[in-house]
Amino acid sequence: MSVWEWQKEKKLAEVKCSNDSVLSANFHPMDSNLILTCGKSHLNFWTIVDNTLTKRQGLFDKHEKPKYVLCIAFAENGDTITGDSSGNMCIWGKGGNRISHAVPGAHEGGIFSLCVLKDGTLVSGGGKDRRVVLWDRDYQQQQELEVPEMFGPVRSLAEGKSDSLFVGTTRNAVLQGSFSGELSPIVQGHMDELWGLDSHPSMEQFVTCGHDKVVHLWDVATHKPLWTKVIEDGARSAGFHPSGSVVALGTVTARWLVLDTETADLVSVHTDGNEIISNVKYSPDGNYLAVGSHDNFIYVYAVTENGKKYSRVGKCTGHSSFVTHLDWSKDSQYIVSNSGDYEILYWNSSNCKQVTNADTVRNLEWASSTCVLGIGVFGIWPDGADGTDINAVCSSHDRKLLATADDFGKVQLFSNPCSQPRAPSYSYGGHSSHVTNVAFLHDDTQLLSTGGKDMSLLQWRVV
């Protein structure tokens, strides 16, 4: 643990804190020379004098010693309050290192957050039991709320205006509410890498899916899901039918499924190969679905009954590495695809044969531009880039702009087509990790981007 005078960027003291994991370090609000740390099987009181840190261990005496002390808060009178992995709450008298009062079994399972409110009462948040409990100054339980299971266990608590409370959960949700009412979500999201993204062909909606097995259909204006569905496998790709009535999802287990956009009901499920389905894309006329897989094949299905019925036409074989991106021609006759070894191949969709005659495809118009390799996107690659630095590209529907998602956390905007080496672009930060996908809304007013490790979803206004 190191202590800094942050305004002068000067380190005052440093010490080996513990042999085990440390989960929290807090200054005591009434004594600036007192620091408390907690973690695996310990609570330590540190005093800093003349830039030297000295430690007193918290003594549990007759009380059960927990596996982990998870969180620390401070009462109005200067007492320290801790929550632990056994669900016990302990109060440590000001100035001492012994427990003066304990509330055993305050929660079933760990207590991950404690928050002392302005009026001196205390709120605790449970992991396993998902309860948010209000305690008076004598640590008697007053009221409680339960976080709905779909939002997951409590991880953090904060006091809002008047009697409102904010609750952060393990599933990347933030809920707001009060003990006189109920908790409702104000932020929802994903909790693992996010790759699948597509915008609705005619409405202010878009779909996202990720490795967390969660599918959200989002409303652009409210930034909230219209529906949420949990599926059996982690998802990697998504694509709307041109009618908007159904959406196809590719998973990491070779399974792909089709959901009804209105009800989120499962319409169809298929398995092709035994690898990740990296791409699912309907033809512009809605009569075909192309399914790109990490097994090097593209499976083509005939689509009938407005996206409700599927029958396999064949599979495109010819790539010598996994399929990364694909696009349809405007007339729905041809497919262009990219692979992990940087091939660009063309296919006839009706018989799944590879097109090797350049004249056939030279003047074709493409319905989308999501392939990161091609003459029209040649200029998006910076100097010295390797072929994996750009994860996704898409063109606006008016064909004037190209947006890219890269491994450096940036969303870049280019003119379309982009056929000059090192083409000029605008670069936008916002993601804290690699950007996995980009898509324009149907009317090109906004751009959507999804993040990998940051699991976030950003909406950008196009101006």
Side-chain angles (χ1 to χ4, degrees):
M1 175 172 69
S2 52
V3 182
W4 295 72
E5 195 168 339
W6 62 269
Q7 285 154 313
K8 293 182 181 174
E9 297 184 20
K10 182 183 165 194
K11 189 193 289 184
L12 299 179
E14 189 168 43
V15 68
K16 169 92 168 143
C17 195
S18 169
N19 289 327
D20 295 310
S21 50
V22 180
L23 301 177
S24 180
N26 305 64
F27 280 98
H28 196 291
M30 295 176 185
D31 183 353
S32 59
N33 292 322
L34 182 61
I35 299 168
L36 283 83
T37 62
C38 69
K40 187 172 182 182
S41 302
H42 75 270
L43 174 72
N44 290 334
F45 297 79
W46 300 85
T47 313
I48 182 162
V49 180
D50 299 331
N51 294 352
T52 306
L53 285 159
T54 52
K55 174 173 84 171
R56 283 185 305 159
Q57 289 187 333
L59 302 175
F60 288 88
D61 296 333
K62 64 181 190 293
H63 301 279
E64 174 197 357
K65 190 172 188 178
K67 270 190 181 169
Y68 287 90
V69 179
L70 297 170
C71 55
I72 299 173
F74 300 96
E76 280 184 320
N77 64 1
D79 287 354
T80 299
I81 310 160
T82 60
D84 65 40
S85 54
S86 303
N88 304 325
M89 218 158 55
C90 298
I91 292 83
W92 308 71
K94 185 185 176 188
N97 62 335
R98 285 189 148 87
I99 296 170
S100 60
H101 181 63
V103 184
H107 285 267
E108 183 192 342
I111 300 173
F112 283 90
S113 187
L114 293 167
C115 177
V116 176
L117 304 182
K118 289 193 275 282
D119 63 6
T121 57
L122 173 72
V123 179
S124 62
K128 187 177 177 184
D129 63 7
R130 304 190 314 282
R131 286 162 61 236
V132 178
V133 182
L134 179 67
W135 308 85
D136 67 16
R137 293 166 186 234
D138 298 320
Y139 307 105
Q140 299 298 312
Q141 184 175 332
Q142 299 298 301
Q143 288 171 287
E144 68 173 76
L145 293 163
E146 188 172 316
V147 175
E149 189 175 1
M150 68 178 289
F151 300 119
V154 179
R155 270 296 179 274
S156 55
L157 296 164
E159 187 174 13
K161 288 181 178 168
S162 62
D163 68 342
S164 83
L165 194 67
F166 294 99
V167 181
T169 76
T170 57
R171 291 177 178 248
N172 280 346
V174 179
L175 298 98
Q176 184 178 13
S178 67
F179 285 102
S180 55
E182 56 182 26
L183 293 169
S184 54
I186 54 172
V187 176
Q188 283 175 263
H190 287 269
M191 50 191 175
D192 204 342
E193 286 212 14
L194 191 52
W195 286 86
L197 168 71
D198 197 23
S199 56
H200 193 286
S202 58
M203 295 169 76
E204 308 287 295
Q205 297 171 5
F206 59 95
V207 71
T208 58
C209 56
H211 290 181
D212 57 0
K213 307 179 184 177
V214 174
V215 186
H216 289 301
L217 180 71
W218 298 88
D219 178 73
V220 169
T222 63
H223 306 161
K224 290 185 178 175
L226 295 163
W227 53 252
T228 297
K229 189 176 182 76
V230 179
I231 58 177
E232 286 180 30
D233 310 299
R236 187 62 182 235
S237 50
F240 276 103
H241 188 270
S243 68
S245 60
V246 294
V247 61
L249 306 167
T251 73
V252 297
T253 62
R255 194 180 304 177
W256 58 271
L257 37 140
V258 180
L259 302 180
D260 186 294
T261 314
E262 195 67 38
T263 62
D265 290 341
L266 188 64
V267 172
S268 190
V269 60
H270 300 262
T271 302
D272 283 304
N274 54 9
E275 302 265 353
I276 292 169
I277 303 292
S278 52
N279 242 287
V280 281
K281 194 161 281 173
Y282 287 95
S283 60
D285 62 11
N287 292 334
Y288 292 101
L289 173 69
V291 178
S293 170
H294 272 218
D295 67 3
N296 306 1
F297 302 130
I298 300 169
Y299 301 88
V300 180
Y301 281 78
V303 182
T304 51
E305 295 178 24
N306 208 18
K308 300 284 195 287
K309 202 158 189 279
Y310 296 82
S311 55
R312 198 205 267 191
V313 173
K315 68 176 177 180
C316 307
T317 63
H319 274 298
S320 46
S321 183
F322 55 92
V323 178
T324 57
H325 304 86
L326 61 86
D327 289 303
W328 282 92
S329 61
K330 277 192 174 171
D331 62 9
S332 301
Q333 301 288 302
Y334 298 95
I335 298 167
V336 58
S337 56
N338 292 169
S339 61
D341 58 355
Y342 318 131
E343 285 181 317
I344 306 169
L345 298 185
Y346 297 87
W347 315 88
N348 185 317
S349 61
S350 58
N351 60 14
C352 297
K353 293 273 194 295
Q354 189 179 337
V355 179
T356 52
N357 183 350
D359 293 334
T360 310
V361 294
R362 180 172 287 129
N363 296 315
L364 281 177
E365 285 194 52
W366 297 97
S368 57
S369 297
T370 63
C371 285
V372 296
L373 304 172
I375 295 299
V377 294
F378 177 72
I380 65 175
W381 292 90
D383 269 349
D386 82 16
T388 64
D389 286 341
I390 294 176
N391 295 311
V393 63
C394 72
S395 64
S396 56
H397 296 87
D398 65 9
R399 316 299 283 173
K400 290 180 180 173
L401 298 171
L402 274 178
T404 65
D406 67 31
D407 272 353
F408 314 110
K410 293 288 186 280
V411 173
Q412 309 260 9
L413 203 59
F414 296 84
S415 290
N416 185 36
C418 186
S419 305
Q420 296 295 319
R422 299 181 298 283
S425 67
Y426 291 107
S427 179
Y428 302 97
H431 288 281
S432 60
S433 156
H434 57 291
V435 189
T436 53
N437 213 338
V438 279
F440 284 92
L441 284 186
H442 70 96
D443 59 2
D444 293 336
T445 55
Q446 291 189 25
L447 176 73
L448 311 161
S449 61
T450 55
K453 292 279 184 260
D454 72 2
M455 307 166 222
S456 68
L457 169 59
L458 302 185
Q459 287 180 219
W460 309 81
R461 259 201 314 279
V462 181
V463 291

